[in-house]
């Protein structure tokens, strides 16, 4: 068996310890004689898995009691529809456009309400987070939408927008559990699991109870109603059982290492190593505003597209895979999520140094 250093943006690397544990339990989970994949979601043994996953996530993020935790399906993308469908009241919402995903969310929401784009960084190809201290928040905004970490461009908010009392909703798909957050500042946080938590197919929704309403359009499909999922403990229908089980293991892995403060410290060390090299290299450079840099997705390029291509190819041969930037940006992107060990970043920087040496004249 050979494991590579996997810098994929998502689905992405998972902690090796977690995968090994899951492998050990694959055929017989805790003397049940079955795999978690094979058991009824209505069984006591699965109920314990989902309850523990929720409790551990609450512990990790210090989620207040007046928030529900839901494990849903449909990817982060389905939340782009569920949010306006469930939260529309006045028929207006404010969106901060910091990249591809925020834009998609706004486009989808505009089917259900009037979308005001109150800030955007599209003028510079989303290479920065706009100033969010004094936004033009709509008086009647049902909520304000942000995408906290912009997976494709490699930017991250380092302060929260001042929403002037309006509900803040955050797409945290590529930064959830990477650092401590104050959940009480948000109405809702959601994340697809496949970037920083678990396998694709599970979506985590953390939503304040008063936002879960019954007085919404009665034509809303039951599967797209937060009230239905909340009342049924995420089990209105069969939930993504195996995904929830693996997410739960990752929550325990994080708790065992000391929680979000501990992983944040490691994430800062990893990102700093890479950004410091990029800041000093004559061949490679980071592509985003320094004040907006992401800890999770590090975007960079060399001095030419040809050299970028050569770098990606040689890196792959050396066991550093998925370094190609998104098809819309080109260049390179190293996604260094929670599960990427420091050793992986050290090895990548060493490889980059060697590459720079070999290709400079
Ligand atoms: C990947 C990603 C999405 C899309 O997730 P799906 O699970 O494929 O729907 C949405 N938002 C962000 C920030 C992402 O990184």
């Amino acid at each position: 068996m050979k494991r590579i250093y996997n810098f994929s943006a998502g689905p992405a690397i998972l902690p090796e310890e977690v995968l090994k544990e899951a492998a050990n339990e694959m055929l017989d989970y805790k003397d049940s004689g079955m795999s978690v994949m094979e058991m009824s979601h209505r069984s006591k043994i699965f109920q314990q898995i989902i309850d523990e996953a929720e409790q551990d996530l609450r512990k990790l993020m210090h989620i207040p009691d007046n928030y529900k935790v839901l494990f849903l399906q449909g990817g982060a993308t389905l939340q782009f529809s569920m949010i306006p469908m469930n939260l529309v009241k006045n028929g207006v919402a404010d969106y901060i456009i910091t990249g591809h995903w925020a834009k998609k969310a706004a486009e989808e929401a505009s089917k259900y309400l009037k979308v005001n784009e109150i800030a955007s960084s599209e003028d510079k190809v989303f290479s920065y987070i706009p100033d969010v201290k004094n936004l033009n928040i709509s008086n009647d905004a049902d909520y304000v939408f942000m995408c906290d970490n912009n997976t494709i461009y490699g930017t991250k908010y380092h302060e929260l927008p001042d929403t002037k009392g309006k509900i803040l909703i955050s797409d945290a798909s590529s930064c959830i559990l990477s650092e401590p957050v104050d959940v009480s500042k948000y109405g809702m946080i959601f994340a697809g699991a496949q970037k920083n938590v678990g396998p694709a197919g599970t979506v985590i929704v953390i939503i304040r109870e008063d936002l879960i309403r019954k007085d919404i359009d009665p034509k809303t499909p039951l599967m797209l109603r937060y009230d239905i999922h909340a009342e049924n403990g995420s089990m209105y229908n069969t939930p993504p059982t195996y995904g929830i089980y693996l997410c739960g293991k990752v929550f325990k892995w994080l708790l065992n290492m000391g929680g979000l403060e501990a992983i944040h410290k490691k994430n800062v060390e990893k990102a700093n190593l890479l950004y410091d090299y990029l800041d000093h290299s004559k061949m490679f450079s980071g592509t985003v505003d320094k004040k907006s840099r992401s800890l999770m997705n590090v975007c960079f390029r060399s001095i030419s597209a040809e050299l970028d291509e050569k770098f990606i190819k040689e890196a792959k041969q050396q066991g550093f895979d998925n370094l190609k930037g998104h098809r819309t940006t080109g260049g390179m992107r190293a996604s260094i999520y929670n599960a990427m060990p420091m050793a992986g970043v050290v090895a990548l920087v060493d490889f980059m140094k060697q590459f720079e040496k070999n290709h400079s004249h």
Side-chain angles (χ1 to χ4, degrees):
M1 182 198 68
K2 177 171 160 279
R3 302 245 323 146
I4 56 156
Y5 286 123
N6 180 6
F7 293 93
S8 169
I13 184 171
L14 286 168
E16 205 166 294
E17 296 94 311
V18 165
L19 295 178
K20 279 188 180 146
E21 245 183 67
N24 284 335
E25 293 172 349
M26 181 59 75
L27 296 179
D28 180 8
Y29 176 75
K30 292 198 174 161
D31 294 326
S32 66
M34 333 170 235
S35 165
V36 172
M37 270 184 250
E38 302 171 300
M39 53 181 67
S40 164
H41 58 297
R42 306 287 176 201
S43 63
K44 236 193 201 153
I45 192 162
F46 183 75
Q47 188 66 49
Q48 197 174 349
I49 290 173
I50 192 170
D51 288 347
E52 259 182 53
E54 174 174 344
Q55 282 157 21
D56 287 341
L57 182 64
R58 285 184 177 278
K59 239 185 269 173
L60 272 174
M61 293 181 74
H62 305 291
I63 299 174
D65 288 342
N66 62 326
Y67 284 73
K68 289 273 190 237
V69 172
L70 308 176
F71 297 103
L72 306 181
Q73 300 184 65
T77 304
L78 189 56
Q79 294 309 307
F80 298 166
S81 327
M82 282 178 74
I83 290 161
M85 290 170 102
N86 284 269
L87 272 76
V88 63
K89 236 187 215 170
N90 301 330
V92 176
D94 290 344
Y95 278 70
I96 305 172
I97 310 297
T98 50
H100 175 85
W101 297 114
K103 215 170 154 171
K104 286 243 167 164
E107 272 166 22
E108 182 67 5
S110 68
K111 294 181 189 165
Y112 306 97
L113 40 69
K114 181 174 185 322
V115 166
N116 287 326
E117 300 191 351
I118 52 169
S120 169
S121 52
E122 195 161 16
D123 60 335
K124 291 185 184 156
V125 211
F126 300 120
S127 60
Y128 67 102
I129 298 291
D131 187 353
V132 290
K133 280 195 191 66
N134 191 17
L135 293 163
N136 198 8
I137 305 283
S138 309
N139 286 330
D140 48 355
D142 287 328
Y143 60 86
V144 177
F145 184 99
M146 64 180 278
C147 179
D148 197 353
N149 186 79
N150 296 279
T151 325
I152 294 175
Y153 301 93
T155 61
K156 163 92 171 65
Y157 285 78
H158 296 295
E159 68 177 325
L160 285 185
D162 178 358
T163 63
K164 302 178 182 167
K166 303 294 182 198
I167 297 157
L168 181 62
I169 297 189
S170 173
D171 179 352
S173 291
S174 50
C175 62
I176 190 167
L177 304 178
S178 65
E179 60 182 67
V181 288
D182 181 352
V183 175
S184 72
K185 294 215 161 87
Y186 302 81
M188 172 177 157
I189 299 173
F190 68 98
Q194 74 272 24
K195 310 283 166 60
N196 211 17
V197 192
T202 302
V203 183
I204 296 166
V205 171
I206 301 163
I207 180 169
R208 215 172 62 209
E209 276 166 358
D210 61 290
L211 304 182
I212 302 175
R213 286 176 21 222
K214 299 213 140 290
D215 61 329
I216 64 172
D217 183 345
K219 286 213 187 82
T220 312
L222 290 177
M223 280 297 288
L224 304 187
R225 296 184 62 124
Y226 293 127
D227 60 332
I228 293 290
H229 290 295
E231 281 163 14
N232 290 281
S234 301
M235 291 213 255
Y236 175 69
N237 74 328
T238 316
T241 51
Y242 199 76
I244 293 167
Y245 155 78
L246 271 186
C247 289
K249 287 209 177 293
V250 171
F251 301 154
K252 285 198 194 300
W253 176 76
L254 286 167
L255 284 169
N256 286 338
M257 81 167 64
L260 300 190
E261 284 81 10
I263 193 75
H264 183 218
K265 196 164 161 266
K266 287 183 198 221
N267 287 334
V268 169
E269 283 168 11
K270 284 186 296 179
N272 279 350
L273 184 73
L274 195 42
Y275 283 125
D276 282 349
Y277 169 64
L278 292 172
D279 289 343
H280 291 101
S281 165
K282 290 194 172 64
M283 176 176 286
F284 298 103
S285 54
T287 52
V288 306
D289 175 45
K290 285 190 188 177
K291 292 191 298 295
S292 306
R293 282 173 165 176
S294 165
L295 290 179
M296 299 281 100
N297 312 100
V298 179
C299 293
F300 58 98
R301 48 177 83 252
S302 74
I303 46 179
S304 73
E306 295 73 51
L307 205 57
D308 286 353
E309 209 174 300
K310 204 174 170 90
F311 173 77
I312 292 160
K313 201 170 143 218
E314 284 188 24
K316 190 178 163 84
Q317 285 162 358
Q318 298 297 317
F320 306 98
D321 205 359
N322 295 313
L323 283 166
K324 195 171 162 61
H326 192 263
R327 57 193 144 79
T328 54
T329 60
M332 280 77 74
R333 170 177 54 179
S335 295
I336 50 174
Y337 296 118
N338 286 349
M340 173 59 66
M342 184 63 171
V345 182
V346 170
L348 175 65
V349 170
D350 285 346
F351 172 72
M352 289 171 77
K353 284 180 182 162
Q354 193 57 49
F355 185 91
E356 181 168 356
K357 218 185 204 167
N358 294 350
H359 296 276
S360 309
H361 309 287

